[in-house]
Every structure is written in C-alpha cells, then in structure tokens.
C-alpha cells in the first residue's frame, strides 16, 4: 500500500483510508453491525496496508443524538495486535456539546468506547457556522490544547460542511494538523471546495477527502449518458476507478477516505490504489470527466449557482445548501440527501423555516422563485 506523508505530523498514512460509517448491517438495522463480515473487512484492509480508520460517535446509531455501534465495534476489531498497526480517527459530536464539560465527557466516553488510552486523530465533527461559534464560546481551543497536552489525543483536526470563507476562518483559528472535507469530481466548488483545499495545503494541513463516491451515488446513481462517456473513454475503468483516480492524481489531497460496506469494495479499492500511477490520467480523461459533470448537473432541478446573493436570510435559512441537497436528490437519485437535510442542517437553516417574506428573490441573478422552490425542498426532503 502506498504511504503518504500526513502534513506536518511526520507520520505516513495509507493513500486509502477506511471510513467506518457504512459497515454491513443485520436486517437493514443500521445500529446492528454484521460483525463477522465487518471484522473480515477490517482485518483484510489492515493486512493489505490500510492504516487509517475513521469513525465517529454517532456512526451506526439510530440517530445522531447518541453513541452508535461503530466505535465499540472498531475497538473489538483492533484487538490482538491490530491496534498497534493503525491510526484511529474519531470525532467530537459538535452538535451535542452544550458546555465546556461536555467536551471532556465525550472524549472520556470515546476513549472508553474505543478501549484505548489515546486517539491518534481527533476531529471537531461537521463544523458549520453555528457549531463553530458555539464551540468557540465554550472554549474548544482550550479543550484541544489540554487533550493534546495530556496525550489523550495526538493530533487535532476538523471535518467541515459549510462555505469556503468560514473554512478559511477555521483553518486560521488554530494550529490544526489536518482537516477533512467533502471532495470529489462533482464537488470542486461545493462547501470548502478546491479553493479551501488549496488554502489548507498552503497552511501545511493534511487534507482528507471524504465522500469520494458521494455515498455511492457516483456509482449507483450515474445517468446512463454519463456511463456511456466513461465506457467510450476508458472501457476498462469502473465508475469507482474514475472517482478515486481523479482524487489520487490531485496533488492537494493527502488521503482518500472510502466508506466501504462489503469485502469486495475493500478489495476493489485496494486494487485501484495499487495499480494507480499518475500517467493513467490523461487530458482525454479530464475532458471526458468535465463532460460527465455537465451531464450530471443538467439533471438539477433548481438552477442555483450558490453565488449567495440571496443571503443572508433574515430568518437564518441556508438557501444555497437547501437547493444543493434538493439537486443532489435529483441529479444522482441520492436518497441520502433527505438524511443530510434532516441531520446536517439546523432547524433554523432548513427550508421549513422560510416565512415567505420574499426578500431574497430580487437579489437572485438566476431569477429563481426561491419561496416556491424552498417549499418544494421541504415537501420532498423534510418528510
């Protein structure tokens, strides 16, 4: 397995990381991991050189309000010498923190759940404007300093779900070792985006790219026209190969984090990273991919460019984010868009909070009937 220097940490991590949010489950119950299958996946991954495992407090739970099954399962999977072979990353559940004491309490609980005396990489989970400002008020930077000083965490980072300007503000606010952003060939201009990626690299941060397949939709939800372009351009390259190779050839991406849910996925991803060379990606491939992106974006329902001229909404509705999730649902038949709407957007930011004042509409360069479209968003994603 190819190893990559991890920013300024002095460590090397595998070019492919294992995301522990999509283990196989029993009877479609997300809180019940199929431990036999998942254990085989984890051990095979480690034996083949993957040394970075990313989990979080709520993964494999009923909802994001309490601890899920992922952390305890990972602890079990890393017994018998496997813990010493890997780096474990987990995250502070930012949305559940209501005091400085909560931060310490969650960290202690996670150390216990992971059955470890330290966490290699600790992230502030799913930062957006609301969570970031709340954590700052409660003293999160002091919390990180203390956790680092006591050795309970080795390196501090954050995962991110908001706009580029805030991302840069957070990068500059602390001596982070790394960050984790949603990044794939469809999301170069989404959330932190390419601009944020390059800014983080300039500041010396390692960058972990999450959602390389957009939750599988860049494989399972691709329009037939897009698949045809892929096949004509590189008949032997799979849709997974297109997505991962695009990321690996990107000089700013330190590591690609893949949420694998079957042993075959692990084996396919391992083979792809083993076979990858820079020369595999050509100008022809890049031009074809731009055409694929154009095909996918042609399926969007709201012609929103995320220019944010409609913002700020006096009620706090995040209009571009709502439209992005609405378009995700339609462009790639993405059922997880509903989950992201319900869990990642605050009640204030949701389309349901629109009071139909109409102040946003005269500011929109695309002349979008914003009030009507927000009602469609909530009707589709809010139920």
């Amino acid at each position: 397995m190819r190893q990559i220097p991890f920013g300024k940490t002095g460590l090397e991590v595998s070019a492919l990381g294992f995301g522990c949010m999509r283990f196989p489950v029993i009877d479609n119950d997300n809180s019940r991991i199929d431990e036999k299958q998942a254990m085989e996946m984890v051990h095979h991954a480690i034996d083949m050189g993957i040394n970075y495992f990313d989990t979080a407090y709520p993964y494999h739970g009923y909802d994001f309000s309490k601890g899920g099954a992922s952390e305890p399962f990972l602890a079990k999977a890393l017994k018998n010498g496997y813990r010493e072979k890997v780096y474990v990353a987990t995250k502070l559940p930012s949305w559940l923190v209501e005091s400085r004491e909560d931060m310490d309490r969650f960290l202690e609980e996670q150390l216990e759940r992971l059955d470890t005396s330290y966490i290699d990489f600790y992230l502030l989970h799913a930062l957006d404007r609301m969570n970031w400002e709340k954590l700052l008020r409660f003293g999160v930077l002091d919390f990180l300093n203390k956790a680092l000083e006591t050795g309970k965490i080795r390196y501090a980072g954050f995962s991110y779900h908001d706009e580029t300007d805030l991302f840069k503000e957070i990068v500059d606010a602390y001596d982070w070792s790394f960050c984790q952003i949603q990044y794939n060939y469809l999301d170069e201009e989404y959330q932190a985006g390419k601009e944020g990626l390059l800014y983080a690299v300039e500041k010396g941060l390692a960058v972990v790219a999450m959602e390389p397949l957009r939750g599988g939709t860049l494989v399972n939800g691709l329009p037939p026209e897009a698949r045809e372009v892929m096949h004509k351009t590189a008949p032997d390259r799979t849709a997974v190969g297109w997505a991962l190779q695009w990321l690996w050839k990107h000089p700013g991406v330190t590591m690609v984090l893949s949420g694998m849910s079957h042993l075959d996925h692990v084996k396919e991803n391992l083979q792809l990273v083993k076979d990858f060379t820079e020369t595999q990606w050509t100008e022809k491939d890049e031009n074809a991919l731009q055409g694929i992106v154009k095909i996918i974006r042609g399926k969007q329902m709201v012609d929103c460019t995320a220019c944010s001229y409609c913002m700020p909404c006096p009620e706090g509705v995040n209009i571009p984010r709502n439209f992005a999730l609405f378009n995700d649902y339609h462009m790639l038949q993405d059922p997880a868009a509903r989950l992201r709407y319900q869990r990642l957007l605050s009640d204030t930011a949701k389309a349901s909070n629109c009071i139909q004042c109409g102040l946003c509409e005269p500011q929109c360069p695309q002349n979008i009937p914003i009030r009507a479209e927000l009602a469609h968003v909530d009707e589709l994603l809010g139920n």
Side-chain angles (χ1 to χ4, degrees):
M1 168 66 68
R2 185 161 51 99
Q3 301 292 302
I4 308 285
F6 201 67
K8 53 193 173 186
T9 66
L11 303 177
E12 290 195 341
V13 299
S14 48
L16 175 67
F18 197 122
C20 301
M21 74 292 285
R22 295 191 178 98
F23 285 126
V25 298
I26 299 171
D27 297 331
N28 293 317
D29 183 345
N30 190 57
S31 67
R32 297 174 63 206
I33 296 172
D34 185 325
E35 294 196 357
K36 182 180 179 181
Q37 286 193 59
M39 196 81 71
E40 186 179 10
M41 292 168 61
V42 170
H43 291 168
H44 182 75
I46 298 172
D47 292 342
M48 297 303 293
I50 293 179
N51 69 357
Y52 188 101
F53 285 76
D54 171 275
T55 184
Y57 186 72
Y59 287 173
H60 280 286
Y62 287 109
D63 56 41
F64 274 32
S65 67
K66 56 182 70 69
S70 181
E71 287 178 332
F73 167 74
L74 185 60
K76 187 182 297 187
L78 296 181
K79 298 293 185 187
N80 301 318
Y82 279 104
R83 173 67 178 95
E84 290 70 35
K85 297 179 179 181
V86 303
Y87 301 117
V88 171
T90 195
K91 310 173 186 76
L92 176 75
S94 306
W95 58 94
L96 296 178
V97 172
E98 296 299 336
S99 68
R100 171 66 176 79
E101 292 71 28
D102 278 350
M103 302 178 200
D104 294 310
R105 177 173 60 82
F106 280 121
L107 176 55
E108 292 299 329
E109 183 181 350
Q110 289 174 287
L111 287 167
E112 184 176 343
R113 283 160 56 82
L114 286 162
D115 193 17
T116 186
S117 59
Y118 66 93
I119 292 164
D120 299 287
F121 298 105
Y122 198 64
L123 300 88
L124 308 185
H125 197 175
L127 289 189
D128 58 13
R129 174 68 67 180
M130 183 178 69
N131 283 333
W132 173 241
E133 291 181 349
K134 178 185 69 170
L135 291 179
L136 282 179
R137 287 197 307 273
F138 292 148
V140 71
L141 303 186
D142 175 69
F143 160 73
L144 292 173
N145 286 336
K146 293 280 180 23
L148 288 164
E149 288 169 7
T150 58
K152 293 179 180 180
I153 67 174
R154 294 181 65 192
Y155 300 98
F158 64 94
S159 68
Y160 189 73
H161 294 286
D162 211 317
E163 307 305 325
T164 308
D165 289 346
L166 176 63
F167 177 80
K168 292 180 178 180
E169 178 184 322
I170 295 173
V171 167
D172 291 338
Y174 190 70
D175 185 21
W176 309 101
S177 296
F178 68 110
C179 63
Q180 186 167 303
I181 63 172
Q182 179 168 323
Y183 201 66
N184 54 66
Y185 64 72
L186 195 61
D187 288 331
E188 277 197 280
E189 309 302 326
Y190 182 61
Q191 296 182 7
K194 184 177 182 179
E195 182 179 348
L197 167 66
L198 296 178
Y199 190 80
V201 171
E202 179 186 329
K203 298 291 183 175
L205 277 68
V207 179
V208 177
M210 61 178 164
E211 298 294 353
L213 305 179
R214 265 183 159 234
T217 58
L218 290 180
V219 178
N220 302 320
L222 281 175
E225 312 95 289
R227 291 186 183 279
E228 185 177 351
V229 172
M230 287 181 173
H231 181 71
K232 285 183 177 179
T233 307
D236 296 328
R237 183 185 296 150
T238 64
V240 177
W242 276 89
L244 296 188
Q245 287 183 13
W246 181 85
L247 282 166
W248 281 322
K249 63 89 179 174
H250 202 299
V253 173
T254 307
M255 185 187 67
V256 176
L257 186 65
S258 181
M260 297 167 277
S261 57
H262 193 279
L263 182 60
D264 287 345
H265 299 164
V266 180
K267 291 180 177 179
E268 179 182 15
N269 287 2
L270 283 165
Q271 191 63 47
L272 285 167
V273 71
K274 178 182 177 183
D275 293 344
F276 176 73
T277 64
E278 293 288 342
T279 57
Q280 282 182 310
W281 195 266
T282 67
E283 184 177 353
K284 180 183 177 183
D285 294 326
E286 190 65 32
N287 292 336
L289 193 60
Q290 295 309 309
I292 290 164
V293 169
K294 188 174 181 180
I295 289 169
I296 295 171
R297 295 210 178 282
K299 306 290 184 181
Q300 68 182 16
M301 297 296 288
V302 181
D303 191 23
C304 175
T305 63
C307 69
S308 294
Y309 285 10
C310 57
M311 299 288 283
C313 165
E315 300 300 315
V317 177
N318 191 326
I319 298 168
R321 288 283 299 283
N322 278 280
F323 288 159
L325 291 169
F326 190 58
N327 283 329
D328 283 353
Y329 185 91
H330 290 283
M331 288 189 302
L332 294 164
Q333 298 98 59
D334 183 5
R338 178 177 284 111
L339 189 66
R340 293 196 294 275
Y341 173 83
Q342 295 173 353
R343 291 185 177 178
L344 295 182
L345 284 181
S346 67
D347 289 342
T348 299
K350 287 186 173 72
S352 57
N353 194 41
C354 173
I355 64 170
Q356 300 285 305
C357 70
L359 293 175
C360 52
E361 293 187 358
Q363 314 304 321
C364 178
Q366 311 302 321
N367 297 313
I368 296 170
I370 294 175
R371 289 173 290 179
E373 293 295 359
L374 286 175
H376 293 155
V377 172
D378 187 55
E379 182 181 1
L380 178 68
L381 303 181
N383 299 313

